[in-house]
């Protein structure tokens, strides 16, 4: 790409702000940052790495002054291409600002809340909080990939924890461009005394220079504190949580990168003193539907988690997710983000050599995993052999006895006419069951890589069914069913949110299949996406479209998401 004098001057300005080593411009060095976690890639003038909030502000200032598109990027773990550019058809130069180095976390109110800066990860927050017997919004799944706190807020991420709902806060500090093209620092963090100018405010925030007496606790909520009541309402025909839910779109919450967020303030949660995992199996989907209704309506204590796996994804994960399982088991979750980054960078590097086979890292990891013995506990394998549908039910404190009594009455396989059974897991069995469920997320992609010669591709759908929908296990439209090679289903059962991956036979028209499936889901009253946000893969509903336009009237931040326009919108500045 030929650099114009104007572009070169802007790159020099970036270098003056962060240093030359923190500015990448060559296609080979920026490739990793210009690509999505699973798919998608686009062009960018530069990728820039601020070390402080003030540098982040100055970079945003420079971009706005030079009429550039800005993509705020952190861990880049989004599954719908929403944290990277898409294609080369933008109307302005595009700059990626990667914030992972700005990772400070400050606990306030005796650890009941946390202030997380732009690059602070969920895993780091979890490590900080466990010392005081508390936890963040999410503790499984993307938290082990290195996802950031702000990334979760920006995408209303859901997670596996039944009581907590979508990541949400009304307390944040962010950069916003108004309809006249003017940049503003908006401080709704609820912390006074940080200063008067952006320079003062961001510098003091970075250093934690704020007085506990000047923190307000009546300026807004810092979590979805209504979710428990909402998920218990099993009569509602509105899903419990989904990305276009206007009740949970507020400034940084659900912004999908349409703001330049510097920090958010979120609630933390008490860790149960006791936890017990039960592993359930049945061949009758209605039995699981009844369990869900009974627990949500009648239990005093909601589960900590209720994770569903179909037998097919259990088997696929056993073979194609073993390397993830082994890596976490022996290396720990702390090293997982680095391993994923190394793998992704290796994949991008090898793409430059057309004579090499595709997906070498994936294939090496798959063949290496065969050197390890089976990782799944014997009793879980026996349940797999007996039953098609599996549920990992985790209960805490008083909920343990409540669940035991219910399961003994309704799920004892030794009772007459029982069509299901359960295991009261040991600590090791419970940990491995949850780890196996987590590894399912990557197993689908690995299966597709290793079987590319017989399939057309994968259609991954992230859906939220109505709360009153008991027909959760689908019967596919005939035109879709006849083209399916294999379906892989898992999800967050208590809130009726499912990740459904359809792998199609060679020669199938994937675009047509997606059209049919979305029409099918619309007819069921389902919402999609449920928790991964629209990115560049889903069309934004009118609610989201209006929200994005209100946040970013000039289309400066992350344009094109939700299949909306990538072009600069009309403003009074030009």
């Amino acid at each position: 790409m030929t650099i114009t004098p104007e572009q070169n001057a802007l790159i020099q300005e970036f270098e003056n702000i962060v240093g030359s080593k923190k500015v990448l411009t060559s296609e080979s060095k920026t490739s990793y940052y210009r690509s999505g976690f699973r798919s998608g890639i686009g062009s960018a003038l530069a990728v820039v790495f601020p070390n402080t909030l003030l540098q982040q502000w100055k970079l945003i200032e420079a971009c706005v002054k030079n009429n550039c598109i800005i993509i705020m990027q952190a861990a880049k773990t989004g599954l719908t291409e929403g944290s990277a550019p898409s294609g080369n058809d933008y109307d302005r130069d595009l700059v990626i600002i990667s914030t992972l180095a700005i990772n400070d976390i400050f606990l306030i109110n005796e650890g009941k809340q946390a202030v997380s800066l732009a690059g602070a990860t969920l895993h780091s927050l979890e490590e900080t909080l466990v010392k005081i017997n508390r936890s963040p919004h999410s503790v499984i799944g993307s938290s082990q990939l290195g996802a950031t706190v702000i990334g979760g807020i920006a995408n209303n991420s859901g997670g596996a924890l039944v009581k907590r709902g979508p990541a949400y806060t009304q307390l944040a500090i962010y950069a916003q461009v108004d309809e006249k093209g003017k940049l503003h620092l908006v401080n709704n963090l609820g912390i006074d005394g940080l200063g008067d100018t952006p320079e003062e405010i961001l510098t003091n925030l970075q250093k934690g220079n704020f007085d506990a007496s000047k923190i307000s606790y009546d300026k807004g909520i810092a979590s979805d504190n209504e979710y428990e009541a909402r998920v218990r309402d099993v009569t509602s025909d509105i899903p419990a949580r989904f990305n276009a839910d206007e009740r949970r779109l507020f400034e940084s919450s659900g912004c999908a990168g349409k703001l330049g967020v510097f920090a958010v303030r979120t609630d933390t949660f008490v860790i149960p003193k006791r936890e017990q995992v039960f592993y359930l199996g049945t061949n009758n989907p209605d039995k699981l539907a009844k369990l869900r209704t009974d627990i949500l309506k009648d239990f005093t204590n909601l589960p900590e988690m209720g994770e569903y796996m179909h037998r097919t994804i259990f088997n696929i994960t056993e073979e194609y997710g073993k390397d993830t399982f082994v890596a976490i088991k022996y290396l720990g979750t702390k090293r997982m983000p680095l391993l994923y980054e190394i793998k992704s960078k290796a994949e991008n590097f090898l793409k430059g050599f057309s004579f090499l086979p595709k997906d070498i890292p994936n294939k090496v990891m798959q063949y290496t995993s065969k050197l390890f013995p089976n990782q799944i506990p014997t009793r879980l394998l026996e349940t797999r052999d007996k039953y098609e549908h599996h549920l990992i039910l985790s209960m805490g404190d008083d909920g343990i006895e409540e669940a035991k009594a219910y399961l003994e009455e309704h799920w004892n396989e030794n009772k007459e006419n029982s069509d299901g059974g359960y295991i009261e897991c040991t600590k090791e069995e419970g940990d491995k069951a949850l780890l196996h469920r987590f590894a399912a997320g990557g197993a689908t992609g690995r299966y597709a890589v290793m079987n590319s010669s017989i399939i057309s591709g994968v259609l991954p759908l992230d859906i939220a069914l109505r709360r009153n929908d008991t027909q959760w296990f689908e019967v596919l439209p005939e035109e879709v069913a006849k083209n399916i090679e294999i379906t892989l289903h898992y999800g967050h059962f208590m809130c009726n949110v499912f990740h459904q991956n359809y792998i199609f036979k060679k020669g199938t028209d994937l675009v047509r299949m997606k059209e049919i499936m979305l029409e099918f889901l619309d007819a069921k009253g389902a919402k999609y996406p449920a928790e991964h946000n629209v990115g560049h893969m889903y069309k934004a509903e009118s609610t989201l479209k209006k929200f994005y336009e209100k946040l970013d009237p000039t289309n400066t931040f992350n344009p094109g998401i939700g299949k909306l326009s990538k072009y600069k919108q009309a403003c009074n500045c030009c």
Side-chain angles (χ1 to χ4, degrees):
M1 180 177 68
T2 303
I3 301 292
T4 67
E6 292 78 13
Q7 290 171 328
N8 191 60
L10 178 58
I11 292 169
Q12 182 62 55
E13 187 171 355
F14 292 157
E15 291 179 349
N16 291 339
I17 295 169
V18 299
S20 60
K21 292 183 179 180
K22 298 291 185 178
V23 181
L24 304 181
T25 56
S26 71
E27 289 194 6
S28 60
K29 290 182 178 180
T30 62
S31 177
Y32 168 73
Y33 303 96
R34 293 186 290 105
S35 60
F37 183 75
R38 282 183 178 171
S39 61
I41 192 167
S43 58
L45 174 66
V47 182
V48 195
F49 303 86
N51 282 317
T52 66
L53 294 178
L54 184 54
Q55 287 181 352
Q56 181 183 338
W57 169 258
K58 289 182 175 180
L59 291 170
I60 293 172
E61 272 190 318
C63 289
V64 172
K65 180 180 65 177
N66 287 275
N67 191 32
C68 291
I69 288 168
I70 303 166
I71 292 183
M72 304 301 305
Q73 186 181 94
K76 203 172 71 73
T77 59
L79 301 181
T80 56
E81 304 178 6
S83 55
S86 177
N88 306 309
D89 55 341
Y90 294 94
D91 63 335
R92 295 150 286 166
D93 288 328
L94 185 150
V95 176
I96 298 170
I97 300 177
S98 177
T99 62
L100 273 181
I102 312 171
N103 54 14
D104 296 291
I105 295 169
F106 304 102
L107 300 186
I108 59 176
N109 194 20
E110 300 178 326
K112 294 176 183 175
Q113 289 188 337
V115 176
S116 301
L117 303 193
T121 66
L122 276 167
H123 187 269
S124 295
L125 180 55
E126 183 180 2
E127 284 191 323
T128 301
L129 289 170
V130 74
K131 300 170 187 175
I132 57 171
N133 201 44
R134 299 187 75 86
S135 67
H137 169 268
S138 298
V139 295
I140 192 172
S142 57
S143 62
Q144 294 173 343
L145 298 177
T148 59
V149 177
I150 285 178
I153 292 293
N155 291 301
N156 283 141
S157 298
L161 298 172
V162 175
K163 304 173 184 177
R164 300 183 192 173
Y168 182 76
T169 187
Q170 295 174 349
L171 306 170
I173 181 170
Y174 53 87
Q176 183 175 35
V177 178
D178 67 19
E179 67 279 359
K180 296 182 179 180
K182 185 177 180 181
L183 178 66
H184 300 270
L185 179 67
V186 181
N187 182 9
N188 289 334
L189 205 54
I191 300 176
D192 295 329
L194 289 173
D196 299 316
T197 67
E199 290 76 13
E200 292 172 343
I201 293 169
L202 295 174
T203 299
N204 282 320
L205 179 58
Q206 176 95 48
K207 295 178 178 179
N209 288 339
F210 43 83
D211 189 336
S213 66
K214 294 185 177 181
I215 301 174
S216 301
Y217 293 96
D218 58 356
K219 299 292 186 181
I221 59 175
S223 64
D224 185 355
N225 58 6
E226 301 170 338
Y227 184 73
E228 185 168 337
R230 195 159 72 246
V231 77
R232 282 184 179 275
D233 182 5
V234 294
T235 64
S236 174
D237 59 3
I238 300 172
R241 56 182 171 95
F242 54 99
N243 287 131
D245 186 351
E246 61 185 344
R247 295 168 300 185
R248 287 298 171 255
L249 298 176
F250 185 88
E251 297 179 356
S252 64
S253 294
C255 73
K258 301 298 285 182
L259 300 169
V261 184
F262 298 100
V264 293
R265 187 172 144 192
T266 55
D267 287 334
T268 69
F269 305 87
V270 175
I271 297 174
K273 293 181 175 66
R274 298 181 296 133
E275 289 190 68
Q276 175 64 54
V277 172
F278 301 92
Y279 198 91
L280 287 63
T282 182
N283 292 314
N284 181 4
D286 292 339
K287 188 173 182 68
L288 273 178
K290 185 177 187 307
L291 173 139
R292 173 180 169 271
T293 301
D294 288 347
I295 288 178
L296 294 179
K297 279 181 60 181
D298 302 330
F299 272 35
T300 301
N301 305 278
L302 284 182
E304 302 301 315
M305 297 186 205
E307 291 296 288
Y308 169 76
M309 290 183 77
H310 187 268
R311 179 161 56 196
T312 307
I313 187 63
F314 184 110
N315 293 338
I316 291 296
T317 305
E318 182 182 7
E319 180 175 358
Y320 294 97
K322 188 195 289 186
D323 59 307
T324 299
F325 191 111
V326 168
I328 294 176
K329 179 181 176 182
Y330 292 106
L331 299 178
T333 57
K334 188 173 184 177
R335 293 180 174 86
M336 291 306 294
L338 178 60
L339 291 178
Y340 276 100
E341 183 178 342
I342 292 171
K343 174 178 171 287
S344 296
K345 287 184 175 180
E347 289 171 341
N348 279 290
F349 174 76
L350 293 169
K351 286 177 183 176
F353 301 91
S354 58
F355 58 87
L356 291 175
K358 292 183 178 179
D359 296 306
I360 291 176
N362 267 306
K363 291 177 179 176
V364 169
M365 293 168 72
Q366 180 61 29
Y367 292 128
T368 301
S369 72
K370 295 180 181 296
L371 300 175
F372 291 87
N374 196 310
Q375 302 293 309
I376 312 302
T378 301
R379 292 204 296 169
L380 270 60
L381 293 173
E382 292 171 350
T383 303
R384 180 271 313 275
D385 294 339
K386 290 180 187 177
Y387 301 116
E388 179 181 2
H389 305 286
H390 299 200
L391 183 71
I392 306 167
L393 185 67
S394 176
M395 304 297 297
D397 296 333
D398 293 343
I400 297 172
E401 282 67 37
E402 196 171 15
K404 280 183 181 179
Y406 178 89
L407 294 174
E408 184 58 29
E409 181 177 355
H410 298 285
W411 283 75
N412 187 333
E413 62 184 355
N414 295 319
K415 288 189 174 182
E416 188 177 355
N417 298 322
S418 175
D419 51 1
Y422 76 96
I423 299 166
E424 187 174 333
C425 294
T426 64
K427 177 70 164 61
E428 181 183 14
E429 287 173 332
D431 289 346
K432 288 187 173 181
L434 288 167
L435 181 49
H436 187 61
R437 159 63 185 89
F438 164 69
T444 300
R446 178 67 55 76
Y447 174 89
V449 167
M450 302 304 293
N451 294 275
S452 58
S453 62
I454 63 170
I455 66 170
S456 284
V458 182
L459 173 60
L461 294 179
D462 166 33
I463 69 167
L465 299 179
R466 299 173 321 215
R467 279 171 277 171
N468 60 5
D469 191 347
T470 58
Q471 301 302 308
W472 61 274
F473 193 65
E474 67 190 5
V475 177
L476 289 170
E478 183 180 353
E479 187 176 348
V480 173
K482 69 181 182 181
N483 287 296
I484 290 283
E485 178 69 28
I486 191 172
T487 59
L488 303 173
H489 290 7
Y490 50 93
H492 313 306
F493 193 72
M494 291 296 156
C495 50
N496 254 7
V497 166
F498 295 93
H499 305 301
Q500 303 187 168
N501 298 278
Y502 306 92
I503 301 180
F504 289 96
K505 298 174 183 177
K506 205 74 173 176
T508 304
D509 183 348
L510 294 183
V511 174
R512 175 59 182 156
M513 293 301 101
K514 185 173 182 178
E515 289 174 352
I516 296 172
M517 282 304 304
L518 295 186
E519 290 172 1
F520 172 68
L521 293 172
D522 288 340
K524 283 173 63 70
K527 291 289 188 179
Y528 50 85
E531 61 179 6
H532 291 158
N533 223 329
V534 289
H536 290 282
M537 298 180 71
Y538 291 92
K539 183 178 180 180
E541 290 187 20
S542 59
T543 301
L544 273 180
K545 181 176 182 290
K546 292 176 182 176
F547 179 61
Y548 295 156
E549 290 172 346
K550 179 181 178 182
L551 293 181
D552 185 24
T554 61
N555 215 15
T556 296
F557 289 94
N558 209 11
I561 56 166
K563 298 190 178 296
L564 301 175
S565 173
K566 294 180 179 179
Y567 289 3
K568 186 165 187 172
Q569 301 303 304
C571 63
N572 298 328
C573 61
C574 51

